[in-house]
Amino acid sequence: MSWDSYIDSLIGYATDENGESHIDKACIIGKDGGKWTSDVHEKCMKIEQEEINAIIQAFDSKDFSSFQTNGVLVEGQSYRYLRHDVDTMLAKQKDFGASSSSAVKQLL
């Protein structure tokens, strides 16, 4: 089962009163590394398995030091690691946007 319709819902919730969406792409990844959304959705983030594994490993180990040194790689783009807390990580790329990951039972 694919959770592609959740991408549309997530983007819809991030749309302001002027109709501008503050999310361009999204994907859902299980904490086991499996993608819950499919790459066929036009707004699905096409994140590589190696990138997924690095993010999951950081959340599992609570060690984000490699991101502090090398940045967070998403869709081949390197984002500057900003911070994390118990279940959220934030990263940013100047003039390109931001990446946020939230982990409970899956990554968003």
Side-chain angles (χ1 to χ4, degrees):
M1 177 184 147
S2 173
W3 287 64
D4 288 355
S5 62
Y6 188 76
I7 293 173
D8 298 322
S9 295
L10 187 62
I11 291 172
Y13 289 129
T15 302
D16 64 22
E17 62 276 353
N18 296 320
E20 183 178 342
S21 179
H22 297 278
I23 295 177
D24 296 323
K25 297 180 184 178
C27 68
I28 303 173
I29 302 161
K31 288 184 81 175
D32 64 355
K35 288 183 79 171
W36 292 14
T37 49
S38 66
D39 287 348
V40 298
H41 191 287
E42 68 175 319
K43 298 288 187 173
C44 183
M45 186 175 286
K46 315 289 192 286
I47 186 169
E48 297 294 327
Q49 192 62 49
E50 187 175 302
E51 298 167 341
I52 292 168
N53 294 344
I55 294 169
I56 290 172
Q57 181 180 357
F59 274 104
D60 285 348
S61 68
K62 309 291 188 234
D63 180 6
F64 294 83
S65 60
S66 67
F67 293 149
Q68 293 170 334
T69 305
N70 303 316
V72 180
L73 206 59
V74 177
E75 288 193 312
Q77 297 287 324
S78 181
Y79 291 80
R80 185 170 56 99
Y81 169 86
L82 298 175
R83 67 181 178 276
H84 73 276
D85 63 22
V86 175
D87 61 2
T88 304
M89 176 183 63
L90 301 174
K92 180 169 179 32
Q93 187 183 66
K94 185 178 180 182
D95 298 330
F96 191 73
S99 173
S100 63
S101 302
S102 179
V104 180
K105 292 184 180 178
Q106 68 279 337
L107 297 172
L108 295 177

